[in-house]
Amino acid sequence: MQLPKRVHIIGICGVATSALAIAFHKKGVGVTGSDKGFFPPISTELEKHGVPFYAGWHPEKMVESGKPDVIIVGTASGSQNPETAYAKENGITMYSFAEAIGKFFVKEKSLVCVGTWGKTSSSALLSFILEKANLNPTYMFGGISLSHEASAKLTDSKWSVFEGDEYKSSPTDSTAKFFHYKPTHLLLTAVSWDHADLYPAEKDYFNVFEKLITSIPRNGLIVANTDNGGVVKLIGKFKGKVISYGKTNADYTYENIQQTQNGLDFTIRVSDIPKSESPFRIHSTMIGAFQAENITGCFVMAHSIGISPETIVKSIGEFQGLKRRLEKRLNDKITIFDDIAHSPEKASSVLQNLRSIYRGKIIAVFEPNSGGRSRESIAKYDNAFKDADIVIIPRLTKLKIVENEKNQAMEGDELTKVIGSTHSNAHYIENDGKVVTFLKSQTNKSDTIVFLGSHGFRGMIEETIKTFQGYVLE
């Protein structure tokens, strides 16, 4: 499809929408954007690539250089702001982010990584492998890669790789984003009830994945993690080719995981390759034993579309990972990590991995997403932080309050009590400066601090790093 000449993105400061802006900009499309606020690393990425943006919703600024051909509306930007109202009044075509991907980015061979967890790391790694194999894919994933120039790219290749999100497409369209990406090849990592704000019952969540699975063409392919019970429950709905991966009883198995502060080493065996040629020895600089599962899924998909094992193994070793996925922000007498884990399950997984690597105290600063603040998620917090010595809940990001809503989201003090029911050292600290001061008072040599959550922590990470750089610890 022919690209528009001018695009304006409302809500440009999202990880995915900013990546979309950069990809359009690189193809010569005039791009502008607006949002209610801008924070690193997104703002710095937009500035680095020369994409202009401004704070707030201002129709006069939106049309300053001429009326846009297309306006793309981010999920969190709201449907009633002045810019969307102007677009409606003036007949400007509006797309959700997911619709724009579907119209301008999806290629003949559409590889989509989906699942409750693992999809961002997997889509980034898979696109990197295809690039190293000279397939020149179009791609988009919702993170900032340490190995890609940007998180999205638009090419003329027949291949595309996307992170497929099960969340709603726009404020007015509850259709899951991944339906717009028309997958021919699906990498299914895990299915475990999440986003309780959108899917109030577990069956609602599973139904949307079942619908996606049955939409794959019969001559397509699903690569499935059969170690995950949710995946096993759903995969029989597909009548085409399924290739499984897991620790045991799968077409591709991974084993002998060794984890250190320098990364992961493990092996992958392929059931239909002679033992003399398998296993393949994998080294990755990424931290977290769970990444072995993601890496294996990418290995399987890449191998299944004809990329040689040698190219795949080499690419895995070169891939540096993503910002905010167990990203090591300080590696000194203490270690500071930043991770996007915004649910109790994801936080638990990160903490378990850190506990297996580091010997000092582990202090977790946690802010959940909106689903993790719902009352339906309370049971999931039982023992979720057992691998942390101290848990801190900071002031939580303000959510839009719906009047007469029966189950209002938990605030920080209530969430602390929920976690405190199974953890004896949980603290609610409303003031950001006092969070940093408390961290300083509780941290000794060889301890680890990890910030867990989808929001940016309002500069607390940077302040904590400054506090400990050059600070003498006992």
Side-chain angles (χ1 to χ4, degrees):
M1 179 178 283
Q2 185 175 359
L3 296 178
K5 291 182 179 179
R6 290 196 67 249
V7 169
H8 180 77
I9 300 178
I10 302 173
I12 197 172
C13 204
V15 173
T17 48
S18 62
L20 186 70
I22 292 166
F24 272 131
H25 176 74
K26 285 180 170 292
K27 284 299 253 184
V29 177
V31 182
T32 57
S34 57
D35 213 321
K36 54 192 172 185
F38 293 89
F39 308 96
I42 302 301
S43 56
T44 50
E45 286 294 308
L46 290 170
E47 288 167 351
K48 183 176 80 175
H49 290 91
V51 177
F53 56 87
Y54 56 85
W57 317 123
H58 303 286
E60 70 281 3
K61 292 184 179 181
M62 183 173 71
V63 299
E64 207 167 47
S65 302
K67 188 185 293 185
D69 301 303
V70 170
I71 290 177
I72 298 170
V73 183
T75 306
S77 60
S79 58
Q80 302 300 319
N81 69 62
E83 292 184 347
T84 56
Y86 180 94
K88 289 174 184 176
E89 291 167 5
N90 289 272
I92 302 174
T93 299
M94 285 194 294
Y95 295 131
S96 69
F97 162 80
E99 286 176 315
I101 292 290
K103 288 187 177 294
F104 301 116
F105 281 62
V106 172
K107 301 297 183 178
E108 176 189 346
K109 304 288 187 182
S110 178
L111 282 59
V112 183
C113 304
V114 304
T116 311
W117 53 78
K119 54 186 176 284
T120 309
S121 295
S122 296
S123 52
L125 174 56
L126 188 58
S127 65
F128 185 77
I129 294 170
L130 266 67
E131 284 206 310
K132 290 296 181 178
N134 297 316
L135 295 182
N136 193 30
T138 286
Y139 61 79
M140 184 285 303
F141 49 85
I144 296 177
S145 170
L146 300 172
S147 297
H148 295 72
E149 187 177 350
S151 302
K153 183 179 180 182
L154 183 55
T155 74
D156 298 322
S157 163
K158 70 177 181 180
W159 295 96
S160 56
V161 180
F162 302 116
E163 174 184 353
D165 191 350
E166 67 271 26
Y167 206 67
K168 61 185 177 183
S169 295
S170 77
T172 58
D173 180 7
S174 59
T175 303
K177 291 176 185 174
F178 51 39
F179 288 114
H180 292 285
Y181 307 156
K182 307 174 188 71
T184 58
H185 299 65
L186 192 72
L187 173 54
L188 184 57
T189 63
V191 183
S192 177
W193 184 29
D194 196 6
H195 300 301
D197 56 324
L198 184 61
Y199 304 106
E202 184 178 46
K203 67 177 182 178
D204 300 325
Y205 188 77
F206 272 74
N207 284 345
V208 76
F209 279 94
E210 180 178 337
K211 185 178 178 182
L212 178 70
I213 287 168
T214 55
S215 75
I216 308 297
R218 287 285 293 270
N219 62 350
L221 170 68
I222 295 182
V223 171
N225 172 22
T226 48
D227 280 351
N228 180 264
V231 171
V232 173
K233 180 179 177 181
L234 291 172
I235 202 62
K237 306 293 183 181
F238 182 58
K239 304 306 179 186
K241 186 176 182 180
V242 176
I243 301 177
S244 61
Y245 67 98
K247 289 183 177 178
T248 58
N249 301 317
D251 299 313
Y252 289 70
T253 55
Y254 62 98
E255 58 190 11
N256 302 322
I257 300 172
Q258 300 295 321
Q259 178 168 220
T260 70
Q261 296 180 22
N262 297 317
L264 286 173
D265 292 277
F266 63 99
T267 56
I268 295 175
R269 291 188 181 275
V270 187
S271 62
D272 61 357
I273 291 182
K275 288 187 176 181
S276 59
E277 301 175 32
S278 175
F280 299 101
R281 301 188 183 281
I282 305 296
H283 173 73
S284 170
T285 60
M286 292 189 289
I287 289 176
F290 59 88
Q291 291 289 10
E293 184 176 274
N294 296 331
I295 291 166
T296 303
C298 292
F299 184 105
V300 178
M301 181 62 82
H303 193 214
S304 299
I305 64 172
I307 301 175
S308 72
E310 293 74 23
T311 297
I312 300 170
V313 171
K314 187 172 185 292
S315 301
I316 291 168
E318 294 175 357
F319 182 65
Q320 297 299 305
L322 297 171
K323 285 183 177 290
R324 306 217 64 219
R325 266 64 178 187
L326 271 176
E327 181 188 4
K328 196 179 289 183
R329 298 290 302 273
L330 180 67
N331 188 22
D332 202 339
K333 293 181 176 64
I334 70 158
T335 309
I336 297 177
F337 283 97
D338 180 14
D339 194 276
I340 202 169
H342 51 62
S343 70
E345 287 176 304
K346 292 174 182 178
S348 179
S349 177
V350 168
L351 292 168
Q352 183 179 359
N353 278 277
L354 292 178
R355 177 59 69 197
S356 71
I357 301 171
Y358 291 90
R359 59 186 176 86
K361 288 199 307 290
I362 295 175
I363 304 173
V365 184
F366 176 67
E367 177 172 5
N369 62 0
S370 56
R373 292 171 65 177
S374 70
R375 296 178 192 285
E376 290 84 357
S377 69
I378 287 176
K380 294 187 176 185
Y381 282 98
D382 285 355
N383 296 306
F385 290 85
K386 61 183 174 59
D387 288 308
D389 296 280
I390 301 172
V391 182
I392 300 169
I393 306 300
R395 173 172 56 86
L396 302 184
T397 300
K398 188 175 181 180
L399 299 177
K400 184 177 180 181
I401 302 298
V402 179
E403 288 188 21
N404 301 319
E405 181 74 37
K406 289 183 179 179
N407 296 317
Q408 296 289 354
M410 289 186 287
E411 294 298 336
D413 53 351
E414 184 179 0
L415 177 61
T416 304
K417 290 177 183 176
V418 168
I419 293 171
S421 68
T422 56
H423 196 291
S424 61
N425 204 353
H427 305 263
Y428 175 53
I429 305 177
E430 190 169 10
N431 181 279
D432 293 353
K434 289 183 179 180
V435 171
V436 177
T437 301
F438 184 78
L439 288 170
K440 182 178 178 181
S441 71
Q442 297 296 313
T443 305
N444 299 313
K445 186 176 180 181
S446 300
D447 288 349
T448 298
I449 298 170
V450 56
F451 288 84
L452 303 165
S454 54
H455 297 282
F457 290 99
R458 299 181 294 273
M460 281 183 275
I461 299 175
E462 291 72 22
E463 287 302 314
T464 304
I465 291 169
K466 287 180 187 177
T467 295
F468 286 102
Q469 281 177 329
Y471 181 68
V472 178
L473 290 165
E474 296 297 328

